[in-house]
Amino acid sequence: MTNTYIESFPAEAKVVRAAFYSSFLALAIGGLFGIIQTLHRTGYYRFIDSADYYTVLTAHGVFLVITFTIFFLVAIFTWAITTSLDRPVEDIRFTWFWYGLMVLGTILAAVPILAGFTDSEMSASVLFTFYAPLQGHPLFYVGLVLFVVGTWLAGADWFRSWLAWKQENPDERIPLPTFMVLTTMLMWYIATLGVAAAILLFLLPWSLGIIESVNPLLTRTLFWFFGHPIVYFWLMPAYMMWYIMLPKISGGKLFSDPLARVVFVLFLILSVPTGIHHQYLDPGIAEGFKFIAMTNTMFLLLPSLLTAFTVVASMEHGARQRGGSGYLGWLKALPWRDPVFAGMALAGLMFAAAGFSGMINAGMNINYLVHNTFWVVGHFHLTVGTGVALTFMAVTYWFLPQVTGKALWNRSVALGQVVLWFVGMTFMSNAMHRAGLLGIPRRTAEPQYEGFEFEAAVGSVGELDAQIALGGLLLTLSLVLFFANIIGTVLNNRSDDLPANGYADTLSGPSDAPLVLDNLKLWTAIAIVLVIFAYTFPLLSIIERGGLFGPELNELPVSIGLGLEYLWTTVVTTVTSGVDTAIAIITGVR
Amino acid sequence: MRISKGALLIVIAFTAPLIVELRTVLAWVNVELTVLESVVLSIGLIVLILVWALWPQEGTPQATE
Ligand code: HEM
Ligand SMILES: [Cu+2]
């Protein structure tokens, strides 16, 4: 008999499983749109109308960075809470309730997005950065709100478990995984205030026609208030896996529990007051505010550098436990054959590369060079598209057996899958970065223009396109292998010899961590103060200039009819004034 | 085998970034490769790694994993 998660927590395992399946479905749909747009914009194969490109891009972005990632993380957070507190959730009906709300929200938001492909009036091709002036169908915003409320309730569920546990264990330190979940959720609560305000006060009433117009800079700023920290909402679960699973799978222990807590506290306090770094090129925000955001961003590098150190140290410890030796010789002793390990290690490595392009994005002046180019797309396919997504796929190979009780269908296919993702992303993302340096824009169906050529210093633009398309194909193939493995595993019979549920021990344990680290109220208060510092003045000055509901603005998409009308008026006025001039000249001559 | 099959696969994967950026690095020292030349060079590199990894080591038993 083994001691898998499904045996210890059968009721929770069902919710976790459902959340995993929702997440994988989103990954499948999002991935499909990914290859469609890759082939379209590189010009290799075009079967959609270029006018539909934003619809494809919206579906790709929303399904992957909102649906796939967040469903996955609520699954592993539920696992982390129940496993580390060693108690079931307080009320499983509540757990199903928030999961159901998230599903409902997803469906409501997906309908208008996908309706963009049909002839219906309904659409929400507003990209995953859904600020004004792009306007979506109200259903899209309602869906988003329900989805976010679902995550809030999920957080409440986990806080409730922790409080109940604390009553029974008043003198114990918060177990590390629970600590990570709680700090992540606190960060999320603060961050989502920005979108909640943007949607409920402005975008939704505007799309319902209750208010005439909005202040676009205000909705952008509120969006990025949330849009930057959401990045950490994806990343912190991946970090959690690197801290509590990777050392165990490499055969060792986590190097330092206190350091891990410091990292999560730093994320909590520094994630939110940085969003303006996405707005370096927005007119209407003073340089000084941008400079403050840049400084905060540079500080935010610290927890990632600490993570790199701790995680590599833990892996080395594991390798030496397994008999590895030498300066670099220990690397050979790591379990490279294990897809869970290899996938996470490769994801971490690519994430390091992303850290470098991230520093470039963060620098106020260099950002001007790469802003809104394909470089940015290259950057976040390394962060969320690999650091997070590949970690999630790799740990699935451990989690799926835990929550289904079935052995993984094929470990070699799994290993091939994670390696293929690494290679595919190397090609795609590297070429995207390069293309961005040449000034090739992102979010464009047809980046080539008549009478203008982008020029590469080494090689050619055609070669970059070829690398992007090749990379995209390898990634798609990797996804196919991933789903084959999921389906194969689900169809397997129950197995009796699965590893036991659990996570890594620590070399330096929680008792070494200063008590103040567990003082969540203090850290939340500091986080809020920093947010107030970073945002009050920029928001006030934006409202002062443009007003709450903004200067007059035409929403997009504006209908073709309007365009034609405009064209018609232009033609008519030009013609009449032309005739007038002609008459004047003729009469003058006379 | 000098390294396990799993590790060999990873080493080959790690050559991918080298391969895609090799041309740039060489361009700095004024060696300009065509696509074909760099593909050939890359295949050569991978073959070298394979030979190194698969060459039987004297006195050590075959790695099984
Ligand atoms: C099969 C794998 C994938 C392929 C081929 C792919 C391809 C692409 C391409 C070519 C673009 C740029 C489109 C443009 O700017 O014109 C893009 C955008 C994007 N991708 Fe992916 N991608 C893949 C996987 C992922 C994953 C796993 C994630 C995240 C988890 C992701 C997140 C995004 C986001 C957020 C955008 C930006 C959307 C926007 O600009 O609104 N992609 N993808
Ligand atoms: Cu950011």
Side-chain angles (χ1 to χ4, degrees):
Chain A
M1 249 353 249
T2 53
N3 200 6
T4 51
Y5 187 71
I6 189 173
E7 282 159 18
S8 320
F9 299 102
E12 284 77 6
K14 269 193 204 148
V15 192
V16 171
R17 216 158 53 210
F20 276 145
Y21 296 155
S22 315
S23 155
F24 299 152
L25 184 64
L27 179 61
I29 303 175
L32 183 67
F33 288 119
I35 189 65
I36 293 175
Q37 71 198 5
T38 306
L39 296 177
H40 191 97
R41 64 165 289 151
T42 52
Y44 278 95
Y45 181 58
R46 292 184 168 167
F47 66 94
I48 56 157
D49 189 350
S50 288
D52 282 338
Y53 192 76
Y54 260 32
T55 309
V56 176
L57 194 53
T58 305
H60 178 73
V62 171
F63 285 125
L64 287 172
V65 293
I66 300 186
T67 321
F68 158 62
T69 50
I70 298 184
F71 269 114
F72 196 91
L73 75 90
V74 296
I76 57 175
F77 276 6
T78 305
W79 164 85
I81 290 282
T82 44
T83 301
S84 69
L85 298 177
D86 197 19
R87 59 186 297 139
V89 295
E90 297 307 298
D91 180 356
I92 192 77
R93 283 169 308 175
F94 183 67
T95 310
W96 278 111
F97 176 70
W98 60 251
Y99 167 73
L101 205 57
M102 286 174 68
V103 172
L104 179 67
T106 307
I107 294 173
L108 292 188
V111 167
I113 295 178
L114 297 176
F117 290 113
T118 67
D119 291 335
S120 88
E121 287 280 287
M122 199 189 246
S123 83
S125 305
V126 292
L127 308 175
F128 86 101
T129 52
F130 41 81
Y131 38 65
L134 293 185
Q135 191 186 56
H137 191 271
L139 213 54
F140 171 75
Y141 301 111
V142 172
L144 278 178
V145 168
L146 292 183
F147 183 82
V148 170
V149 172
T151 62
W152 287 351
L153 296 181
D157 199 6
W158 302 324
F159 268 97
R160 205 170 147 200
S161 293
W162 166 62
L163 289 173
W165 173 88
K166 210 170 107 171
Q167 296 258 295
E168 289 164 22
N169 305 277
D171 299 324
E172 267 188 65
R173 300 301 294 263
I174 311 176
L176 184 61
T178 299
F179 183 85
M180 291 170 159
V181 172
L182 300 184
T183 39
T184 306
M185 289 315 290
L186 287 171
M187 186 275 302
W188 181 241
Y189 283 125
I190 300 174
T192 43
L193 292 179
V195 250
I199 295 181
L200 295 176
L201 301 179
F202 303 110
L203 297 175
L204 184 57
W206 178 51
S207 87
L208 286 170
I210 298 171
I211 54 175
E212 283 279 291
S213 80
V214 296
N215 179 342
L217 185 58
L218 183 59
T219 69
R220 275 176 74 92
T221 309
L222 288 173
F223 176 86
W224 286 119
F225 178 98
F226 142 94
H228 181 74
I230 194 180
V231 163
Y232 291 93
F233 197 46
W234 310 323
L235 196 60
M236 285 157 80
Y239 275 19
M240 180 173 94
M241 291 292 112
W242 297 353
Y243 277 111
I244 69 176
M245 297 304 290
L246 196 58
K248 179 182 153 92
I249 288 161
S250 18
K253 294 178 175 178
L254 172 61
F255 189 68
S256 164
D257 165 302
L259 208 53
R261 286 177 204 248
V262 169
V263 166
F264 274 68
V265 164
L266 285 174
F267 278 134
L268 165 61
I269 59 187
L270 290 172
S271 294
V272 189
T274 50
I276 290 180
H277 70 207
H278 292 259
Q279 299 178 284
Y280 289 148
L281 275 173
D282 278 20
I285 299 180
E287 290 275 280
F289 300 141
K290 293 176 179 170
F291 190 82
I292 293 173
M294 176 172 82
T295 316
N296 283 343
T297 307
M298 296 301 177
F299 274 117
L300 197 42
L301 283 171
L302 185 66
S304 288
L305 294 174
L306 287 178
T307 300
F309 167 75
T310 321
V311 170
V312 173
S314 313
M315 275 170 30
E316 181 177 346
H317 174 255
R320 296 203 188 276
Q321 294 304 91
R322 296 165 62 99
S325 60
Y327 266 131
L328 289 174
W330 57 271
L331 283 169
K332 281 198 295 188
L334 288 168
W336 293 110
R337 178 75 189 72
D338 181 351
V340 185
F341 173 82
M344 274 201 274
L346 293 175
L349 195 89
M350 282 215 137
F351 186 76
F356 292 107
S357 57
M359 283 184 229
I360 290 180
N361 301 341
M364 218 161 124
N365 47 356
I366 317 184
N367 182 288
Y368 301 163
L369 182 69
V370 294
H371 197 88
N372 271 345
T373 66
F374 224 19
W375 165 285
V376 176
V377 186
H379 164 74
F380 61 66
H381 279 88
L382 292 182
T383 55
V384 63
T386 304
V388 175
L390 185 55
T391 298
F392 286 0
M393 289 188 275
V395 295
T396 298
Y397 296 133
W398 185 84
F399 274 108
L400 203 60
Q402 288 294 322
V403 297
T404 56
K406 298 168 179 183
L408 187 65
W409 175 63
N410 191 318
R411 264 165 62 100
S412 303
V413 169
L415 183 65
Q417 187 264 319
V418 295
V419 169
L420 211 53
W421 192 271
F422 177 88
V423 175
M425 208 48 105
T426 301
F427 279 103
M428 186 172 97
S429 178
N430 183 70
M432 282 174 168
H433 277 98
R434 283 187 163 279
L437 291 179
L438 311 183
I440 297 180
R442 67 185 282 208
R443 292 179 160 174
T444 320
E446 291 164 16
Q448 69 286 7
Y449 298 105
E450 296 276 332
F452 177 80
E453 298 247 341
F454 295 104
E455 284 222 32
V458 179
S460 67
V461 172
E463 287 161 27
L464 291 180
D465 276 342
Q467 281 182 30
I468 292 170
L470 171 68
L473 285 172
L474 295 179
L475 289 169
T476 309
L477 184 61
S478 171
L479 279 183
V480 170
L481 295 182
F482 179 72
F483 290 115
N485 227 334
I486 301 300
I487 294 169
T489 306
V490 172
L491 296 180
N492 253 348
N493 291 326
R494 282 282 188 110
S495 154
D496 277 340
D497 70 342
L498 294 172
N501 181 35
Y503 53 90
D505 281 335
T506 51
L507 280 178
S508 159
S511 51
D512 296 331
L515 253 179
V516 62
L517 278 179
D518 282 10
N519 189 342
L520 294 179
K521 284 193 191 122
L522 172 70
W523 302 119
T524 311
I526 295 180
I528 291 173
V529 169
L530 285 179
V531 169
I532 293 173
F533 272 142
Y535 270 103
T536 314
F537 290 110
L539 282 176
L540 279 180
S541 75
I542 289 168
I543 296 170
E544 219 165 7
R545 276 159 170 256
L548 266 183
F549 298 103
E552 280 288 304
L553 132 124
N554 289 328
E555 71 275 13
L556 291 166
V558 272
S559 67
I560 305 279
L562 266 179
L564 287 180
E565 221 169 80
Y566 175 73
L567 195 71
W568 181 239
T569 348
T570 323
V571 171
V572 171
T573 39
T574 323
V575 170
T576 40
S577 70
V579 172
D580 281 350
T581 334
I583 291 174
I585 293 171
I586 295 166
T587 43
V589 165
R590 236 197 230 161
Chain B
M1 290 277 296
R2 280 169 203 270
I3 50 174
S4 69
K5 277 195 200 128
L8 175 59
L9 188 63
I10 302 293
V11 170
I12 293 177
F14 276 157
T15 47
L18 290 182
I19 288 169
V20 293
E21 281 301 327
L22 191 63
R23 288 172 77 201
T24 323
V25 175
L26 289 179
W28 286 339
V29 290
N30 288 330
V31 180
E32 309 237 338
L33 296 183
T34 62
V35 178
L36 187 68
E37 284 162 347
S38 56
V39 167
V40 170
L41 206 66
S42 324
I43 294 174
L45 201 65
I46 291 177
V47 169
L48 247 131
I49 294 174
L50 283 174
V51 169
W52 167 81
L54 297 176
W55 206 263
Q57 252 177 321
E58 301 265 329
T60 40
Q62 293 275 320
T64 43
E65 209 203 3

